[in-house]
């Protein structure tokens, strides 16, 4: 999303710098952006389609052969076992890829299956869930107004490493420092003193997984002291009368024991939220991937509303993207959301937004009744073996499929199981516009970049792969010439034409008359266009079918009882690890982390990013390590019900006692992975420890943080 100035000499990337004139990133560049050239040139990046051979290796095939075989096998599976015997998983890079994003819905619809999965259910489902029930649209998210806020209470996020996420902006460190510099306060709540906590006004350790209690206590306190002061959105609210009663028992004293944060501190935080001219509460992956993920997000939204900070300058604001997925142009509808229209077959978990939780993928392949089991899978830009719970079982499940098709540039932990791999063009070989992240940007901006190079080798941009696959599938299904012509047209059309349509029909398009935005107009602005700071706009952002904000949807109010039950009032979960005998393993809570030199599971093959200090270590407080008899860099064995990994520890005062941190996305040592750089420092996969049974009960999002592990010296 950052503006990049890329110099090309003789058809090769000569340099990549941050574009100082970019209205959003203002010259910032991170190691991943600087690595795009190396990624483009990576010899391991696939340059042509691959087909599994009888010997189990891969051999080159033509696109026609590959698409034809894919279509024939998908059709055969669906004919014999029903539509939903085919499943689809869309991974994270989809949202960073214009073609994959705009053509993705066609793929989902075209496969006609109820077994749809994506990385959303190991990530931001709770946020989408809260938005769906409160605002009536799963994509209507608020963004912290980081540049104007006075008090920023941040939980479970590390934007200095991650770049911001639901607060996209590029130069996040500069923006966050800005809060402190202008006399405001940045308060970070995290079980690790992170890179973000290090530049904050205040850092509070919290016991992993207990944020919902802290948030409930804050809301209780704010309601007691300030009452409901929603400001100009008051007329949009419903359900407010139910809040005080629902939260009555959640006092700061109730929260103090389990969270490890004093009642007085909680009271002070509530006071700060009430007295600030512009305050915002923000929670991200750490509050999302836990047992109360959705409830955390509901409470966060409520705090912002009740203190008058939702849709207010300096608070939690809404974007007005030029290409708008909330009020999309016809034919590009991602949907308002839905819940419980169908269920998974083994555990009976409800769909959300047309998807099932990816934590059930393996069991729907391995454990379902024969007439309901998944037999074939298409993955697009995803690596579920490393990114979803119990990766070893996902491995086993993928191995057992009748057919696996992967749209992916690498032979990695997931795609090594594929029957066919279809390689997309590189990021420098396709045009780009940030349809997804402009929804989450801290300023309204629009920027389009053309492809720098034509697709290398025999690769194709995503839109051609998807439309091509659907054309072949249509033929296998016996569709007529008209359909074939439609798919051909879509193969030719490409995402830029759809983008153009979306811009013209969007809020800054034709409605603005001759000045209106079009792709042509935008393409002349090489640095992108600044469309101004976020402005109060909630009333116009709410969908017509749900033109109100529900403060107390039943599903969340009821969940407070589970919260009360599950988190004991006193701190039985003491903050020191419990070691019974010297030789027995100690019990810790495991959390994850991200690093600027990595991107989930798939950028460890770039030499520059892989070099330097090894990243896959288990951070542990020195006193805990001493108790265990472990020295820095010595190996520890980490065990759960699901599996065990052996990993060097790294002593760090930044860790809360009794909590350890492991990055996810490693574990490249599996056989058959063709990543020459990444496999040299394979690391271990955190998801060989995570438990698919451990979910946020409301949304079905996976719990990836704060679960118990046993640790002992590995020697
Ligand atoms: N334990 C634990 N697990 C986690 C997390 C965690 O913090 N802890 N984080 C979770 C989060 S937030 C996320 S988003 C998920 C990510 O989960 P996934 O999306 O499943 O995994 P990624 O590592 O992003 O893998 C992306 C895949 O896409 C391929 N790829 C890259 N670019 C492109 C492209 O342009 N087109 C195509 N077709 N393919 C491409 C890569 O080679 C790789 O195989 O992981 C989740 N899993
Ligand atoms: N360099 C880099 N940037 C990335 C990515 C990457 O892999 N590398 N991934 C991208 C993706 S897909 C995403 S979703 C975003 C994520 O963006 P962020 O959410 O900002 O990033 P994380 O580093 O995952 O931050 C999660 C924080 O939650 C803390 N935490 C863990 N458990 C708890 C808990 O129970 N309570 C609280 N309060 N805190 C807890 C962790 O210590 C960690 O600091 O980053 C994106 N940006
Ligand atoms: Mo993510």
């Amino acid at each position: 999303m950052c503006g990049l100035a890329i110099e090309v000499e003789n058809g090769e990337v000569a340099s990549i710098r941050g574009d100082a004139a970019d209205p959003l990133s203002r010259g910032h560049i991170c190691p991943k952006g600087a690595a795009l050239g190396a990624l483009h040139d990576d010899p391991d990046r696939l340059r042509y389609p691959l087909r599994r051979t009888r010997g189990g290796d891969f051999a080159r095939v033509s696109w026609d052969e590959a698409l034809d075989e894919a279509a024939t096998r998908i059709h055969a599976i669906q004919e014999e076992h029903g539509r939903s015997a085919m499943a689809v998983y869309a991974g994270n890079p989809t949202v960073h890829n214009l073609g994959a994003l705009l053509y993705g819905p066609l793929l989902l619809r075209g496969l006609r299956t109820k077994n749809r999965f994506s990385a959303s259910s190991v990530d931001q489902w709770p946020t989408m869930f809260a938005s769906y029930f409160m605002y009536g649209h799963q994509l209507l998210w608020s963004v912290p107004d980081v540049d104007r806020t006075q008090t920023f209470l941040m939980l479970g996020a590390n934007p200095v490493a991650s770049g911001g996420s639901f607060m996209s902006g590029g130069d996040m460190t500069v923006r966050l420092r800005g809060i402190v510099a202008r006399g405001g306060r940045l308060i970070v709540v995290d079980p690790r003193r992170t890179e973000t906590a290090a530049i904050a006004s205040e850092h509070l350790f919290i016991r992993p997984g207990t944020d919902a209690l802290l948030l409930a206590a804050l809301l209780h306190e704010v309601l007691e002291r300030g009452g409901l002061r929603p400001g100009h959105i008051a007329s949009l609210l419903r359900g407010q009368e139910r809040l005080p009663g629902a939260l009555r028992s959640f006092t700061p004293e109730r929260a103090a024991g389990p969270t490890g944060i004093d009642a007085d501190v909680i009271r002070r935080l509530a006071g700060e939220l009430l007295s600030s001219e512009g305050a915002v509460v923000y929670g991200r992956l750490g509050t999302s991937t836990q047992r109360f993920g959705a409830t955390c997000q509901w409470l966060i939204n409520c705090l912002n509303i009740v203190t008058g900070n939702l849709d207010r300058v300096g608070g939690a604001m809404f974007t007005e993207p030029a290409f708008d997925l909330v009020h999309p142009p016809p034919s590009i509808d991602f949907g308002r959301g839905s819940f419980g229209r169908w269920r998974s077959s083994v555990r009976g978990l409800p769909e959300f937004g047309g998807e099932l939780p990816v934590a059930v993928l393996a069991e729907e392949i391995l454990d379902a009744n024969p007439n309901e089991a998944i037999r074939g899978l298409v993955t697009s830009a995803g690596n579920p073996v490393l990114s979803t719970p119990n990766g070893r079982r996902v491995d086993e499940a993928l191995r057992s499929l009748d057919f696996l098709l992967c749209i992916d540039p690498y032979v990695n932990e997931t795609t090594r199981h594929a029957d066919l791999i279809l390689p997309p063009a590189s990021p420098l070989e396709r045009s780009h516009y940030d349809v997804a992240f402009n929804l989450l940007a801290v300023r309204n901006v629009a920027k389009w970049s053309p492809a720098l190079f034509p697709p290398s080798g025999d690769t194709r941009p995503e839109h051609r792969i998807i439309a091509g696959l659907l054309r072949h599938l249509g033929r296998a299904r016996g569709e007529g010439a008209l359909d074939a012509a439609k798919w051909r047209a879509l193969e030719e059309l490409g995402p830029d034409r759809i983008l153009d349509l979306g811009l013209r029909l969007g809020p800054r398009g034709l409605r603005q008359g001759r000045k209106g935005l079009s792709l042509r107009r935008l393409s002349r602005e090489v640095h992108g266009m600044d469309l101004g700071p976020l402005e109060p706009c909630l009333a116009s952002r709410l969908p017509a079918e749900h033109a109100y904000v529900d403060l107390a949807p039943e599903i969340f109010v009821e969940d407070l009882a589970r919260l009360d039950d599950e988190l004991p009032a006193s701190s039985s979960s003491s903050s020191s690890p419990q070691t019974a005998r010297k030789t027995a393993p100690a019990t810790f809570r495991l959390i994850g982390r991200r690093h600027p030199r990595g991107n989930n599971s798939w950028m460890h093959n770039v030499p520059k990013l892989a070099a330097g200090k090894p990243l896959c270590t288990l951070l542990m407080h020195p006193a805990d390590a001493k108790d265990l008899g472990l020295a820095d860099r010595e190996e520890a064995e980490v065990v759960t019900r699901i599996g065990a990994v052996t990993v060097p520890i790294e002593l760090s005062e930044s860790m809360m006692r009794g909590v350890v941190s492991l990055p996810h996305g490693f574990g490249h040592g599996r056989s058959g992975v063709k990543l020459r750089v990444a496999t040299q420092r394979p690391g271990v996969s955190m998801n060989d420890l995570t438990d698919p049974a451990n979910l946020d009960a409301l949304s079905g999002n996976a719990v990836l943080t704060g679960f118990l592990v046993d640790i002992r010296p590995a020697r």
Side-chain angles (χ1 to χ4, degrees):
M1 194 179 200
C2 294
L4 300 178
I6 305 181
E7 276 178 330
V8 176
E9 273 169 32
N10 306 322
E12 284 180 24
V13 173
S15 74
I16 302 186
R17 283 172 295 112
D19 176 11
D22 185 281
L24 187 68
S25 58
R26 310 184 297 202
H28 175 81
I29 184 169
C30 80
K32 294 173 291 165
L36 281 179
L39 196 71
H40 176 75
D41 294 330
D42 186 348
D44 290 334
R45 186 168 67 81
L46 300 179
R47 305 298 202 277
Y48 42 76
L50 290 180
R51 179 180 196 280
R52 176 174 299 284
T53 61
R54 275 174 195 275
D57 209 354
F58 289 104
R60 179 173 185 169
V61 280
S62 73
W63 279 95
D64 249 5
E65 279 174 278
L67 293 175
D68 219 43
E69 174 169 342
T72 310
R73 294 182 71 176
I74 291 170
H75 180 61
I77 288 173
Q78 292 189 311
E79 278 282 289
E80 193 179 340
H81 302 287
R83 291 174 174 185
S84 294
M86 275 307 301
V88 55
Y89 173 82
N92 169 276
T94 307
V95 291
H96 301 281
N97 181 322
L98 184 63
L101 188 82
L102 294 183
Y103 277 60
L106 295 177
L107 180 66
L108 295 184
R109 252 179 273 149
L111 285 172
R112 301 176 180 166
T113 173
K114 290 181 174 171
N115 279 313
R116 302 179 190 170
F117 304 91
S118 80
S120 295
S121 56
V122 279
D123 187 350
Q124 82 285 358
W125 252 23
T127 302
M128 297 170 70
F129 197 84
S131 288
Y132 174 65
F133 282 98
M134 298 181 75
Y135 310 137
H137 199 299
Q138 60 180 354
L139 303 180
L140 194 48
W141 305 312
S142 63
V143 178
D145 188 15
V146 59
D147 292 336
R148 293 176 291 188
T149 194
Q150 194 188 352
T151 301
F152 193 147
L153 177 59
M154 181 188 296
L155 306 94
N158 187 10
V160 169
S162 71
S165 198
F166 274 50
M167 171 174 66
S168 293
D171 56 347
M172 264 308 142
T173 309
V174 176
R175 291 179 194 270
L176 292 169
R177 281 190 200 279
I179 300 174
V180 184
R182 63 179 176 264
R185 299 245 306 145
L186 171 62
I187 305 140
V188 172
V189 180
D190 199 298
R192 177 165 82 91
R193 193 182 308 279
T194 59
E195 298 77 3
T196 305
I199 63 164
S201 324
E202 182 176 2
H203 167 235
L204 297 165
F205 281 122
I206 186 165
R207 286 207 187 90
T210 64
D211 300 76
L213 271 185
L214 169 66
L215 292 161
L218 282 170
L219 187 56
H220 165 103
E221 203 48 28
V222 158
L223 283 166
E224 289 268 291
R225 278 156 62 178
L228 182 76
R229 299 191 295 189
H232 77 97
I233 63 166
S235 62
L236 298 174
L237 298 186
R238 290 192 189 169
Q240 57 270 42
E241 65 290 343
R242 300 177 57 204
L243 271 191
L247 288 151
R248 188 154 298 132
S249 65
F250 292 92
T251 59
E253 278 71 20
R254 166 75 180 84
T259 59
I261 299 176
D262 283 350
D264 287 347
V265 174
I266 298 175
R267 290 218 163 77
R268 172 170 57 78
L269 292 178
E272 287 191 59
L273 293 178
L274 281 169
S275 65
S276 295
E277 279 304 312
V280 60
V281 186
Y282 168 74
R284 192 59 270 275
L285 209 65
T287 50
S288 189
T289 51
Q290 55 164 282
R291 289 187 63 80
F292 295 95
T295 294
C296 278
Q297 196 55 49
W298 166 58
L299 293 166
I300 287 169
N301 292 348
C302 284
L303 273 166
N304 287 327
I305 293 167
V306 167
T307 56
N309 285 301
L310 191 78
D311 200 34
R312 168 201 187 172
V313 169
M317 304 192 72
F318 294 87
T319 53
E320 295 172 280
F323 186 107
D324 188 4
L325 290 179
V326 174
H327 298 282
S331 85
I332 315 167
D333 201 347
F334 284 70
R336 237 170 28 90
S338 58
F339 181 59
R341 286 180 300 164
W342 64 84
R343 289 181 175 263
S344 71
S345 84
V346 177
R347 259 188 276 175
L349 296 181
E351 70 64 50
F352 172 65
E355 289 180 21
L356 292 169
V358 69
V360 310
L361 175 62
E363 72 197 33
E364 293 295 319
I365 296 170
L366 295 170
D367 306 335
N369 288 328
N371 61 341
E372 291 176 309
I374 293 171
R375 316 258 171 173
L377 173 68
V378 178
T379 70
S380 176
N383 191 1
V385 167
L386 292 192
S387 56
T388 72
N390 198 353
R392 294 280 171 195
R393 189 122 204 277
V394 176
D395 264 327
E396 186 192 335
L398 298 189
R399 215 177 289 126
S400 80
L401 286 171
D402 292 346
F403 181 59
L404 174 61
L405 170 68
C406 297
I407 306 175
D408 203 285
Y410 286 109
V411 179
N412 64 17
E413 300 73 17
T414 292
T415 62
R416 71 198 169 114
H417 298 296
D419 295 285
L420 287 165
I421 309 179
L422 306 178
S426 96
L428 301 183
E429 297 166 347
R430 46 177 159 82
S431 60
H432 189 60
Y433 176 95
D434 243 303
V435 168
F437 286 86
N438 281 328
L439 259 181
L440 298 165
V442 298
R443 255 187 112 74
N444 289 313
V445 291
K447 177 175 65 207
W448 179 82
S449 342
L452 213 47
F453 306 117
S456 47
D458 200 9
T459 62
R460 288 183 178 179
E462 246 76 11
H463 74 273
R464 288 195 60 203
I465 301 178
I466 292 171
L469 178 64
L470 293 170
R471 177 165 57 83
H472 285 253
L473 190 56
R475 197 161 67 192
R477 285 172 175 163
E479 285 174 3
L482 212 59
D483 287 293
K486 176 186 82 181
W487 294 121
R488 269 201 198 286
L490 278 165
E491 268 177 270
E492 293 311 315
L493 185 73
D496 287 341
R497 298 273 67 83
I498 300 173
L499 173 67
D500 185 38
L501 184 72
L503 291 174
R504 287 170 190 269
L505 296 179
R508 301 173 197 265
L510 298 171
R511 267 180 256 171
Q512 311 274 326
R514 289 188 45 214
K515 296 190 312 239
L517 209 53
S518 63
L519 182 57
R520 194 158 146 200
R521 166 113 198 274
L522 185 58
S523 65
R524 286 199 293 262
E525 311 271 352
V526 291
H527 304 288
M529 287 171 80
D530 187 4
L531 304 174
L534 306 186
E535 280 169 29
C537 62
L538 177 58
S540 69
R541 301 296 290 146
L542 291 167
E545 306 90 319
H546 189 289
Y548 59 91
V549 172
D550 190 350
L551 262 167
E554 194 70 34
I555 192 164
F556 294 116
V557 173
E558 282 175 1
D559 200 45
L560 290 173
R562 182 175 68 103
L563 180 62
D564 209 23
D565 284 352
E566 262 195 40
L567 296 178
S570 66
S571 82
S572 62
S573 52
S574 107
S575 66
S576 288
Q578 282 133 39
T579 326
R581 284 166 286 120
K582 261 252 141 51
T583 50
T587 303
F588 288 80
R589 290 203 179 261
L590 180 60
I591 64 171
R593 69 178 186 273
R594 287 176 152 67
H595 192 279
R597 278 195 282 127
N599 191 26
N600 295 340
S601 74
W602 67 278
M603 275 196 168
H604 299 138
N605 208 50
V606 176
K608 259 210 190 120
L609 297 178
K613 227 174 92 185
L615 298 180
C616 191
T617 60
L618 186 75
L619 298 182
M620 185 184 278
H621 192 279
D624 286 343
K626 194 162 168 247
D627 286 351
L628 274 170
L630 275 168
D632 197 31
R633 305 290 152 176
E634 278 192 308
E635 303 228 299
E637 190 183 28
V638 187
V639 187
T640 65
R641 180 179 88 83
I642 297 301
V645 300
T646 299
V647 58
I649 68 159
E650 184 176 343
L651 299 186
S652 172
E653 303 267 359
S654 72
M655 292 308 301
M656 188 175 191
R657 292 290 310 269
V659 181
V660 285
S661 156
L662 188 67
H664 83 291
F666 285 90
H668 307 300
R670 285 157 154 89
S671 68
V673 171
K674 296 190 176 171
L675 301 167
R676 273 166 286 187
V677 178
T679 49
Q680 279 168 32
R681 282 167 129 184
V684 297
S685 176
M686 179 165 180
N687 286 315
D688 290 346
L689 300 171
T690 47
D691 186 344
N694 197 5
L695 301 176
D696 167 21
L698 291 197
S699 68
N701 202 57
V703 173
L704 305 171
T705 187
F707 53 95
L708 293 172
V709 296
D710 285 337
I711 301 185
R712 62 162 78 85
R715 49 177 186 270

